[in-house]
Amino acid sequence: MHAGSIQVRLLGILVIGTVCSFIACGGGANSSPAAAGSGTSDVLPPPPPPPPPTVAVVLSPGAPTLLPGATQSFTATVSGATLGDVTWKVDGVANGDTTVGTITGSGNTVTYTAPATAGSHTLTAISAADTSKQASAAVTVQAVQHSGCAPAPTSPLVVSVKTHGAKGDGRTDDTAAIQAAIEVVAGTGGTLLVPDGTYMINAILNNYQGLQLRSNMTFRMSSGAVLKAIPNGSANYSILLLPRVSNVNIIGGTLEGDRSTHAGTGGESGMGVFVASSQNVYIEGVTAKECWGDGFYIGGAAGSSNITLCNVVADHNRRQGLSVVYADGVVVKNSTFKNTQGTLPEAGIDIEPNAGETVANMQILGCTFTNNSGGGIQNGLAFRDRGIAFVKNVLIDGNVMVGNGFNSANGQTGGGGVEISNTAGHRVTNNVMRDNKNWGLRMRDEADNNTVTGNTITGTQGDGIYLDPTITGYTIIGNTVTGNTRYGIYQGAGSQGTLGPNVVSGNGRTP
């Protein structure tokens, strides 16, 4: 053992080192652990702790565009924090307000309801664990656009049915909530907005009438909004009723009847839209389908006036796509009527006033009629109502009728493109009637003094034009009638009028 060193056995471990005073060694060359020789043991400090995770917030969606009063779900995802909660603000206002839009719900997924006026707003989710961490979404509230068919609302007011408790979940009866919202907008000239969703409607709630619109308002449904009739067994109902109102717009969306789930077997008056004794009504871009009766119905005890339907669709309704029974000044344009089948007359459009009623000054322009079992357009009276009901001055121009008159559910022989009966003084011009069943155009039973010009009629499984033996005063010129199975133009013995010149060729029979 070297002088100046000490050997100590501790717990069986031999430790050899230099002798120092009871004061710690230091200073000299031998004070370094490395100088102590291979017998020295080093103790390293523990590694530093890892830095805390960075908190981050992601918000989705990031930049939605909404109509006034519309709703949008937002979800905030927090990473890097044990506590993933967030708080919400709109334009710096906790949970927003009616001016900037409101937030409902709690947690990381909430619902934002846009305010009633257009503008831009910032929705922010703030981490509860680190309030310096947040994410924002830019919300654009877009003004309701005027399409040019229906007149623009006279007030900027927009109210969403969601703010009055309508769910639109396809299960809840939303009738009362939507009716309450209607009453808020009634008379203001403003807009009631129905956002996307399926809203169940009790269509027989108020004496067989569902939702009742009021004067001076716009009822606007978004493209994904459906008003669906709760199944019932009634012979009569309406999803939307216009009872003696004026200055009303119905725009967009879908009305769906209950024909496939209807509990009854009788009646034929389940309507999508019932215009009853009303004035200045515009129905635009609305689809009415699967109704027990008609998609659209215009009449009422006092008659209706100045009613316009544009860009509407009537699809697979049981009785009619559209019935007009008592009205003055109806315009139907750029619309589609298809797949009507179930109970007579099964027409795309039926113009048929009852006793004591008159339809006058109606125009059907640029519409399409396909696969209607009873025919495309029926214009006339029941035989019993001659002289006590009237149709006056109907123009049918620029329409297309294809594949009508087949597959009547009632076992009838079906119809064709256009039929006029027991009424006089109408014009059928510039239409295309193709591949219909029994006729392209038929005039019968006192269908006098009608003008038929510029039409193309082809592929009929019957006669192109059929003129009943009793009719008089017609003018039929400038038409192209080709490739029909029977006669191009069948002129019954005794009928009298101006016939030709027309292009008539390639038909199955000649006069």
Side-chain angles (χ1 to χ4, degrees):
M1 180 179 299
H2 296 285
S5 67
I6 186 169
Q7 178 176 290
V8 180
R9 185 176 299 273
L10 298 174
L11 299 178
I13 300 174
L14 182 64
V15 179
I16 301 174
T18 57
V19 178
C20 296
S21 67
F22 291 107
I23 301 174
C25 299
N30 291 331
S31 65
S32 167
S38 61
T40 301
S41 175
D42 296 334
V43 178
L44 299 176
T54 301
V55 177
V57 183
V58 176
L59 183 58
S60 179
T65 298
L66 306 175
L67 289 173
T71 58
Q72 173 68 56
S73 177
F74 285 89
T75 297
T77 303
V78 179
S79 60
T82 303
L83 180 63
D85 294 347
V86 295
T87 58
W88 298 88
K89 290 184 177 181
V90 184
D91 292 352
V93 179
N95 293 319
D97 57 27
T98 56
T99 301
V100 299
T102 57
I103 292 174
T104 55
S106 60
N108 288 49
T109 297
V110 295
T111 298
Y112 171 76
T113 301
T117 56
S120 298
H121 304 282
T122 301
L123 186 145
T124 305
I126 304 166
S127 169
D130 182 352
T131 57
S132 68
K133 307 300 182 182
Q134 55 187 255
S136 296
V139 180
T140 301
V141 181
Q142 188 177 69
V144 176
Q145 299 296 313
H146 172 47
S147 64
C149 180
T154 58
S155 165
L157 174 67
V158 178
V159 174
S160 172
V161 298
K162 291 290 188 75
T163 64
H164 288 266
K167 302 298 183 184
D169 58 11
R171 301 183 303 274
T172 304
D173 182 349
D174 284 321
T175 313
I178 297 177
Q179 189 65 52
I182 289 170
E183 304 303 337
V184 170
V185 178
T188 67
T191 300
L192 180 64
L193 181 68
V194 184
D196 288 358
T198 298
Y199 301 82
M200 303 305 294
I201 304 301
N202 184 345
I204 61 173
L205 177 64
N206 301 302
N207 192 25
Y208 311 112
Q209 301 155 2
L211 298 172
Q212 299 187 30
L213 300 187
R214 306 303 185 201
S215 294
N216 301 312
M217 66 174 293
T218 292
F219 187 87
R220 176 181 284 271
M221 294 178 280
S222 66
S223 60
V226 179
L227 303 183
K228 186 173 182 178
I230 296 171
N232 64 77
S234 175
N236 307 286
Y237 67 71
S238 60
I239 299 174
L240 279 182
L241 174 69
L242 284 70
R244 296 181 180 269
V245 298
S246 60
N247 304 318
V248 173
N249 302 328
I250 306 172
I251 301 175
T254 298
L255 309 178
E256 183 175 342
D258 71 336
R259 67 170 295 174
S260 64
T261 55
H262 195 72
T265 58
E268 53 188 31
S269 296
M271 314 306 189
V273 178
F274 188 161
V275 181
S277 304
S278 294
Q279 293 78 43
N280 304 327
V281 173
Y282 289 81
I283 304 172
E284 178 183 357
V286 176
T287 295
K289 66 179 185 179
E290 304 295 337
C291 292
W292 186 245
D294 305 341
F296 304 90
Y297 183 95
I298 302 172
S304 295
S305 62
N306 189 21
I307 312 298
T308 300
L309 285 74
C310 53
N311 302 307
V312 306
V313 176
D315 185 11
H316 200 230
N317 298 293
R318 183 167 167 264
R319 186 178 70 167
Q320 250 85 259
L322 164 66
S323 288
V324 183
V325 301
Y326 196 0
D328 187 357
V330 175
V331 177
V332 185
K333 59 184 179 181
N334 303 327
S335 296
T336 299
F337 301 87
K338 60 184 180 180
N339 304 321
T340 310
Q341 182 188 38
T343 191
L344 294 174
E346 300 178 296
I349 295 179
D350 184 32
I351 307 166
E352 188 177 354
N354 301 302
E357 298 175 338
T358 298
V359 175
N361 305 313
M362 180 169 177
Q363 301 178 62
I364 304 172
L365 311 172
C367 296
T368 300
F369 300 83
T370 60
N371 196 36
N372 299 289
S373 293
I377 299 173
Q378 294 192 19
N379 173 22
L381 311 173
F383 190 85
R384 68 179 181 273
D385 291 331
R386 291 192 301 184
I388 56 175
F390 304 92
V391 182
K392 303 176 181 179
N393 189 29
V394 173
L395 172 63
I396 301 171
D397 181 77
N399 304 283
V400 176
M401 295 89 172
V402 179
N404 299 288
F406 297 91
N407 305 315
S408 175
N410 288 337
Q412 303 294 314
T413 58
V418 175
E419 181 177 37
I420 302 175
S421 59
N422 295 307
T423 181
H426 310 295
R427 292 166 291 161
V428 181
T429 59
N430 306 312
N431 303 283
V432 174
M433 306 177 197
R434 185 177 70 248
D435 301 330
N436 297 293
K437 186 177 182 184
N438 289 328
W439 54 80
L441 168 67
R442 182 187 188 190
M443 293 193 293
R444 67 179 180 89
D445 299 336
E446 299 186 2
D448 299 328
N449 303 312
N450 293 298
T451 299
V452 179
T453 63
N455 301 283
T456 299
I457 304 173
T458 184
T460 311
Q461 293 187 14
D463 302 315
I465 298 176
Y466 179 95
L467 306 175
D468 193 87
T470 63
I471 65 172
T472 63
Y474 52 76
T475 299
I476 300 176
I477 60 174
N479 303 284
T480 299
V481 188
T482 62
N484 301 287
T485 300
R486 284 173 46 87
Y487 295 99
I489 301 177
Y490 176 83
Q491 187 177 21
S495 64
Q496 299 177 19
T498 301
L499 182 60
N502 299 285
V503 176
V504 181
S505 65
N507 301 291
R509 300 184 186 181
T510 57

